[in-house]
Amino acid sequence: MSDMRELSKGFDHATVDPKWYAFWESSGAFRADPASSRPPFSMVLPPPNVTGVLHIGHALNQTLPDIVCRWKRMTGHDVLWLPGTDHAGIATQNVVEKHLADEGTDRHALGREAFVERVRAWSRQSHGTITSQMRTLGSSVDWSRERFTLDDDLSRAVRRVFVTLYREGLIYRGKYIVNWCTRCRTALSDLEVVHEEQAGRLYHVRYPSATEGAAESGPAAEGGTDTEGADAARRGANAAEGAAGGGGVTVATTRPETMLGDTAVAVHPDDDRYRGLVGGTLRLPIIGRELPVVADEFVDAGFGTGAVKVTPAHDPNDFEMGRRHDLPQVVVIGEDGRMTAEAGSFAGQDRLAARKAIVERLEAEGLLERVEDHRHAVGHCSRCHTVVEPLVSTQWFVRIKPLAEPAVAAVKDGRTRFVPENWARTYFEWMTNIHDWCISRQLWWGHRVPAWYCDRCGSVVVEEEAPEACGCGGPLRQDTDVLDTWFSSGLWPFSTMGWPDATADLARYYPTSVMITGLDIIFFWIARMMMLGMKFAGDVPFKVVYITSLVRDAHGRKMSKSKGNVVNPLQVMDEIGADAFRFTLAALASPGMDISLSEGRLRGYRQFVNKLWNVSRFVLMNLPASLTERPPAPPPAGLGTIHRWVLHRVSELAAEVTRALEGYRFDVAADRLYHFIWHEYADWYIELVKPHLQEEAEDREQALAVLLAVHDRVLRLAHPFMPFVTEELWQTLPAAADAADDGRTPDGRARTVTRAAWPEPVAAWADDEAVSVLTLLQEVVTGVRTVRAELGVPPSRRLRLQIEHADPAERAVLDAHGEYVRRLAGLEAFEFVEAAPADPDTVRRLVRRMRLYLPLAGIIDRAAETVRLRREIDKISKQLGSLEGKLGNPKFRERADPEVVAETEARHAAARQRRQQLDEVLAELAP
RNA sequence: AGGCGCGUAGCUCAGUCUGGUUAGAGCGCCUGCUUGACACGCAGGAGGUCGGCGGUUCGAGUCCGCCCGUGCCUACCA
């Protein structure tokens, strides 16, 4: 028809999506406006690594906040969603180092400055990748406010925080035991160490008494092994059964290589076995050093032999114990993971090779009493998986307790709320057991520690800006370390808004409204933002933290490259479009449940997008070209039942979706939209409204007005979930007569659904009567359709339906809506009768109290019908039994809600009647 | 070792907080349909002892206890 609008047959996301993103961006649809009179709503984007690519975790953690932002924009908020990227110190540096290795060089050959420039160049180049992928996903961030953690102003914020904390004594520098990655050659924070349970060994080693030991294994014994002598020694050791027997002590260790650095042996003060030894000395095998025996509460008398070797330089507990007992630190493992000169003949060996050699040596000397299998957790570098080495090293630390306390209190008193609230527990647990935070890294890529050292007077100068010279006039050299990347991301919610300056953005948008992010960075990031935000920005960084789940593969397994089950969001979006992908993520995002991305769900929602597309095609092809304005929804009073029904339902939908979003139930919102759009709007309303849209229909205008009102609302409600397709479809609708209700870009020149008003429930549309009418129509139509399907009646065959036992109200409803029933059930006609027709080939079906009779001469399959009836009778008998049990129980009548009792009674009566009717029908069919 | 979760149809999941219709959805499966929006569709159907045992209750998928299975996080027992 010439005066009809048209849409292409299918939705082509590849061309549509980029078109609208470019439009939104250029028209400023996502720009926040601090001068606006609208209430503010703000979020900051968890900054992805600048050199990263969009992975499934980003996809979820951007889709959900994007849904919230788009919704809030439509509810009339001035929305700021601030994007940016993270320099990701160690991760990015590792990548570039790998590039250099491929080129046959390394960063030391390049030099610090050139290396940093190289990383910067790579970051610049890579930056476009992640940001364009965010656009593909549809993230409605305000690009005009994009930030990078290494930007000048953010770096200034980092220095301000560092200097302030230093002056307050909350940052200190010192020589402590830290987690050291021998491959990355840097210190790591506790969080960057991943513990993995591993099969290891527990070696029981005999440390002889100082006198005894001197003879057996001093330095003199080193260099050669006398097998005979060793055997003799072993026999001797075995003979000393008691742990403290023979003047020596047996200790148990999982890391024999560290024994070379032992400076004591410790026992529990109350351990009677060793009481006599405390204060005495033992002889360290191989090395021959004399070791004092100390008593310390830390020792667990029940573990191993109850005596523990103490290596203050290579074990965190021993480090503490060493300080308590004033023990020397002997460093036997270097920063490169090799044994140092202190390790005597083992010097230069890798720590693991040394372990083996030392065990052999002990064995040879007869000092290895026993080896047990022992499972224990071993720390690995989270970046390169190298086994982490505890080392004593000079580093910078943040004193965390004074910062953690207010951050805990803020969650306790609800200034920041976790959703789901269970996560607060995890947060508390970590925050109350937290250790000081090692923030210095021996890397080049990052914020350089703003500390300078004077070689002349030895003083340390900590300043925001590089000082000229030391107070003593001596030259200064800057600390070569950089800060942990999370130190700068911890400032993100306020550093990105201009802090330390008192900017308009900061005043308006801080604290942010919500933070939506994954559980994997609660400690790395959420906790640090809480601590630093409260300390420096004067308030919590966000009022709500929504913790998203982990995305897994279709079978609930963690995605990993080695398993080959990694879902690439870009590929998925390429195949099914961003809208279907986003809708799937939302639909699967049940709180507290990990998300299993199943192909079936993805496909199902792609088809849903297609459904929405085709509904729109239907709407459009029924719009006369003369209709250039979307008419306001007509008042329900003068409307037919189907219109009143759909208005009622779409109004309820608005309420349901809104409620779901308010509770962060993205899954519920998606489910409601899906069900309404497909199974109510498309399956029923569109089918019902068709005749009213005929050109000759006298109520066509009215039908069009309702159809457009519903369609417009549907697109708006679906927009946060499926931004691209809804914008494309919404743009094809005629603009509203009432411009106030019609989304406009900030410059007012173009329409956009991103800023259209969010549909509110309309009280005047509530219409339970229309619902009950539709329910009856649906039941009758479905009843007839079921008979047709089961008995294989071709659709072309128009049937005559007879209805018995309809009560007057039902008769009136069916009569009034006869045309709908005839059309949807494929009837030639229906009529009400007083008695069952005599025709033996008539099939009966029960709907409520009514009996539907369909004459099916030549088609009816009595046997099949009998089977079906028997099955139905079985079912209803079971139901009847349980209902009778319930009603027969006097306590039920006494205690249950009277409404429930009445309802149950009604159900019981209906079931009984139905049972009786079915029996009759069956008797007629199979006498 | 502690903490948190999960176990409902063949598969992926809602429903459990606030106990009470006939436990729902998508995918898959079966039957029939080129129905003038859509075969990425339409209509109909099969399929569930809600992990197990015990308890509370008139009534339990839902509340309580124990057990089994499974996943994750935290952790300085050498």
Side-chain angles (χ1 to χ4, degrees), chain A residues 760-897:
Chain A
E760 300 279 337
V762 181
W765 289 357
D767 196 333
D768 289 339
E769 189 245 328
V771 171
S772 80
V773 168
L774 258 291
T775 306
L776 178 64
L777 296 186
Q778 288 169 339
E779 281 173 354
V780 171
V781 168
T782 303
V784 177
R785 281 173 177 171
T786 304
V787 173
R788 301 184 74 115
E790 280 176 1
L791 302 179
V793 184
S796 54
R797 179 143 170 175
R798 307 272 106 183
L799 300 176
R800 296 188 69 86
L801 169 68
Q802 298 185 321
I803 303 172
E804 189 192 12
H805 295 315
D807 72 28
E810 288 165 339
R811 270 177 88 135
V813 166
L814 291 170
D815 267 335
H817 303 87
E819 191 46 44
Y820 299 124
V821 177
R822 279 190 290 277
R823 207 165 47 80
L824 297 187
L827 302 175
E828 183 188 321
F830 70 86
E831 61 184 330
F832 297 97
V833 296
E834 294 305 319
D839 176 3
D841 288 329
T842 292
V843 168
R844 297 127 213 269
R845 220 24 85 100
L846 304 173
V847 170
R848 300 188 183 185
R849 287 180 193 93
M850 295 179 277
R851 294 181 183 194
L852 309 186
Y853 297 103
L854 290 157
L856 293 173
I859 291 178
I860 184 166
D861 178 345
R862 282 165 182 277
E865 182 65 0
T866 307
V867 169
R868 195 200 64 78
L869 268 174
R870 291 228 162 92
R871 212 183 299 147
E872 196 178 339
I873 289 171
D874 252 21
K875 215 168 165 179
I876 207 142
S877 301
K878 244 186 245 167
Q879 208 183 101
L880 211 50
S882 90
L883 287 169
E884 264 159 17
K886 194 188 271 189
L887 288 167
N889 190 328
K891 289 188 179 168
F892 171 66
R893 292 182 181 281
E894 280 168 36
R895 299 186 194 178
D897 186 337

Side-chain angles (χ1 to χ4, degrees), chain A residues 344-357:
Chain A
S345 64
F346 300 96
Q349 287 192 30
D350 179 78
R351 55 200 160 135
L352 292 179
R355 176 182 299 178
K356 219 172 142 196

Side-chain angles (χ1 to χ4, degrees), chain A residues 526-779:
Chain A
I526 299 290
R528 270 106 182 230
M529 285 189 287
M530 285 295 292
M531 294 188 283
L532 295 169
M534 298 197 65
K535 172 80 183 165
F536 290 97
D539 201 346
V540 295
F542 23 73
K543 293 165 195 154
V544 172
V545 186
Y546 178 88
I547 300 293
T548 62
S549 312
L550 221 61
V551 186
R552 299 165 170 283
D553 75 359
H555 302 286
R557 291 174 312 187
K558 207 169 181 169
M559 290 187 188
S560 74
K561 281 177 195 152
S562 58
K563 276 189 221 139
N565 60 347
V566 177
V567 173
N568 177 357
L570 296 157
Q571 191 188 331
V572 174
M573 287 193 282
D574 191 46
E575 283 163 15
I576 68 170
D579 292 314
F581 178 51
R582 292 167 53 113
F583 200 88
T584 309
L585 289 174
L588 294 177
S590 299
M593 277 288 286
D594 284 341
I595 294 177
S596 297
L597 244 203
S598 85
E599 223 176 288
R601 298 292 286 263
L602 284 166
R603 202 163 350 112
Y605 293 121
R606 177 198 62 187
Q607 281 154 203
F608 176 55
V609 173
N610 185 252
K611 189 75 182 178
L612 186 61
W613 181 264
N614 279 294
V615 169
S616 299
R617 285 183 73 203
F618 173 82
V619 171
L620 285 178
M621 70 175 51
N622 281 289
L623 290 190
S626 56
L627 193 81
T628 54
E629 259 184 6
R630 179 160 56 77
L639 295 176
T641 317
I642 60 164
H643 305 304
R644 289 188 283 111
W645 170 74
V646 78
L647 289 175
H648 165 88
R649 282 297 300 134
V650 81
S651 167
E652 275 190 336
L653 177 71
E656 286 170 358
V657 172
T658 303
R659 199 179 321 127
L661 286 176
E662 280 164 356
Y664 301 96
R665 289 303 303 266
F666 303 99
D667 58 325
V668 171
D671 183 69
R672 297 290 184 274
L673 281 165
Y674 182 95
H675 191 268
F676 174 79
I677 291 174
W678 201 317
H679 297 303
E680 298 184 74
Y681 180 40
D683 282 355
W684 288 97
Y685 181 69
I686 297 237
E687 291 309 320
L688 289 164
V689 82
K690 277 176 179 171
H692 302 281
L693 297 174
Q694 302 299 316
E695 275 182 64
E696 61 277 12
E698 75 262 15
D699 58 349
R700 184 179 182 212
E701 227 171 275
Q702 200 179 61
L704 277 173
V706 173
L707 182 65
L708 277 171
V710 173
H711 198 62
D712 170 73
R713 276 179 168 71
V714 161
L715 292 177
R716 291 177 195 227
L717 290 169
H719 176 258
F721 302 82
M722 305 187 288
F724 297 108
V725 70
T726 49
E727 181 79 274
E728 173 79 1
L729 294 172
W730 195 76
Q731 293 280 348
T732 63
L733 294 180
D738 173 11
D741 186 42
D742 210 37
R744 293 275 148 188
T745 52
D747 60 17
R749 273 189 284 190
R751 302 170 65 227
T752 170
V753 70
T754 58
R755 287 181 173 245
W758 182 251
E760 300 279 337
V762 181
W765 289 357
D767 196 333
D768 289 339
E769 189 245 328
V771 171
S772 80
V773 168
L774 258 291
T775 306
L776 178 64
L777 296 186
Q778 288 169 339
E779 281 173 354

